[in-house]
């Protein structure tokens, strides 16, 4: 969502911005933005050739790369890139030599999680960026919104939900939602919860904070992300089902972390982009 929201914010500023994604995703078309998809390939070399062809075709004046300095499949490694900005967020491999080498080609590195003190490289401490949920005045109030990114979490939530007397709802990942009506992140715009319970991924953690809501975090194991570290610093970490029940009965205050908007990020990108529109500009997740 971060790339799509940033592309939208730049487009609103009359910038010819294009979002490049490695494969088809369920929500990127909903914002009415330009999207280019890299083909599914079998090797890093094939991915690199696809990225090279896309850059040759698009010829952006500025490339904004989200999270992975070499691209999700290593497709940017070794390519000659245009002026580039890296949006860096917590990454398990940040202390490895390959991360520093890949990040060294960027003219600017914006640290989206400086409060985690995770990035051993020179970077600008920009801060987390997230979309603030926008529930309407008639959205129903609930005691808790559970975000189930995987079946195991949904099972946990369904076990503790009866203790809250039914004033709960469950948002499911796009792949688990049957008709989209309960899909994350869109359900966040349809209810007004007292607390949010779910993983400690970047988007959910800072969406909760942007809404001023307490986030009870159940960190999940990820290959590149360190959700346990984020849960300790930017949310309230859940230790067990019994601990979750206690937290739901007496929720702590939200973490005091400032979350910035995609408009803030778009302004920084525009500042770096010293060519007037409509010259193409490209963004990568």
């Amino acid at each position: 969502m971060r790339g799509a929201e940033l592309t939208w914010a730049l487009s609103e500023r009359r910038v010819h911005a294009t979002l490049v994604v490695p494969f088809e995703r369920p929500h990127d078309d909903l914002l009415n933005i330009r999207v280019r998809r890299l083909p599914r390939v079998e090797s890093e070399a094939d991915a690199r050739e696809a990225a090279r062809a896309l850059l040759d075709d698009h010829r952006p004046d500025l490339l904004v790369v989200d999270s992975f300095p070499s691209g999700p499949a290593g497709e940017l490694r070794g390519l000659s890139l245009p002026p580039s900005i890296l949006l860096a967020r917590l990454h398990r491999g940040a202390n490895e030599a390959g991360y520093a080498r890949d990040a060294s080609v960027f003219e600017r590195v914006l640290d989206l999680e400086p409060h985690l003190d995770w990035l051993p490289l020179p970077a600008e401490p920009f801060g987390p960026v997230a979309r603030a949920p926008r529930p309407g005045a008639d959205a129903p109030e609930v005691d808790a919104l559970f975000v189930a990114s995987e079946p195991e979490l949904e099972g946990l939530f369904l076990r503790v939900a009866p203790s809250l007397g039914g004033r709960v709802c469950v948002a499911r990942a796009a792949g688990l939602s049957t008709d989209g009506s309960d899909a994350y992140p869109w359900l966040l715009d349809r209810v007004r919860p007292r607390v949010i319970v779910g993983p400690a991924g970047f988007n959910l953690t800072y969406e909760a904070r942007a809404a001023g809501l307490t986030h009870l975090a159940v960190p999940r194991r990820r290959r590149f992300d360190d959700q346990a570290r984020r849960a300790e610093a930017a949310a309230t970490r859940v230790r067990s089902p019994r601990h979750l029940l206690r937290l739901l009965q007496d929720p702590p205050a939200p973490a005091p972390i400032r979350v910035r908007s995609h408009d803030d990020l778009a302004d920084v990108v525009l500042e770096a982009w010293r060519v007037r529109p409509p010259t193409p500009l490209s963004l990568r997740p």
Side-chain angles (χ1 to χ4, degrees):
M1 288 299 296
R2 185 167 47 258
E5 292 277 355
L6 178 56
T7 305
W8 170 258
L10 290 166
S11 299
E12 287 289 283
R13 290 160 170 75
R14 299 179 62 194
V15 175
H16 185 176
T18 300
L19 175 68
V20 181
V21 294
F23 47 80
E24 186 168 354
R25 301 188 303 187
H27 304 309
D28 289 327
D29 291 332
L30 298 181
L31 288 174
N32 192 28
I33 57 177
R34 298 179 184 88
V35 179
R36 293 286 300 272
R37 295 180 173 88
L38 289 174
R40 292 186 181 273
V41 294
E42 299 297 328
S43 68
E44 181 178 316
D46 290 338
R48 188 173 299 112
E49 285 306 308
R52 190 195 312 276
L54 185 62
L55 287 170
D56 288 344
D57 177 59
H58 199 59
R59 297 187 181 279
D61 292 300
L62 181 67
L63 183 69
V64 182
V65 177
D66 187 7
S67 304
F68 301 98
S70 62
E75 65 272 17
L76 298 181
R77 189 174 292 121
L79 295 184
S80 177
L81 301 181
S84 303
I85 298 174
L86 174 63
L87 308 180
R89 63 182 177 92
L90 182 61
H91 192 292
R92 288 184 180 275
N95 288 301
E96 299 174 2
Y99 187 96
R101 182 181 62 250
D102 293 335
S104 67
V105 304
F106 292 87
E107 293 187 353
R108 297 180 69 177
V109 177
L110 303 183
D111 185 356
L112 302 190
E113 298 187 275
H115 50 285
L116 300 186
D117 192 26
W118 68 279
L119 186 60
L121 304 169
E124 302 172 46
F126 187 81
V129 178
R131 183 191 74 97
R134 307 176 185 93
D138 57 347
E141 294 184 357
V142 295
D143 288 321
L145 171 63
F146 296 109
V147 179
S149 60
E150 48 209 86
E152 293 80 5
L153 279 182
E154 184 171 3
L156 167 65
F157 299 156
L158 293 177
R159 288 199 303 273
V160 303
S163 66
L164 297 178
R167 287 171 51 87
V168 301
C169 62
V170 177
R172 295 170 175 84
L176 301 177
S177 177
T178 54
D179 60 4
S181 63
D182 59 351
Y184 169 81
W186 312 116
L187 191 59
L188 273 66
D189 294 331
R190 298 177 183 146
V191 296
R192 288 186 289 146
R194 191 163 59 109
V195 298
I196 291 180
V197 186
F202 183 98
N203 290 336
L204 180 60
T205 297
Y206 299 118
E207 285 167 352
R209 186 64 198 93
L213 297 173
T214 294
H215 177 205
L216 305 181
V218 186
R220 310 301 291 172
R221 178 72 180 178
R222 296 292 185 261
R223 180 182 176 187
F224 298 111
D225 196 11
D226 188 347
Q227 292 198 7
R229 184 171 181 174
R230 185 178 295 112
E232 296 286 357
T236 298
R237 184 174 182 177
V238 174
R239 305 289 177 178
S240 67
R242 183 174 296 180
H243 185 218
L244 175 57
L245 285 173
R246 291 201 303 268
L247 292 172
L248 287 169
Q249 293 166 1
D250 185 19
I257 295 173
R258 180 194 177 198
V259 177
R260 304 184 67 170
S261 70
H262 292 92
D263 284 330
D264 291 339
L265 184 56
D267 289 339
V268 171
V269 172
L270 283 176
E271 176 190 346
W273 179 49
R274 303 188 184 280
V275 179
R276 298 183 62 184
T279 307
L281 182 148
S282 184
L283 299 102
R284 292 185 50 78

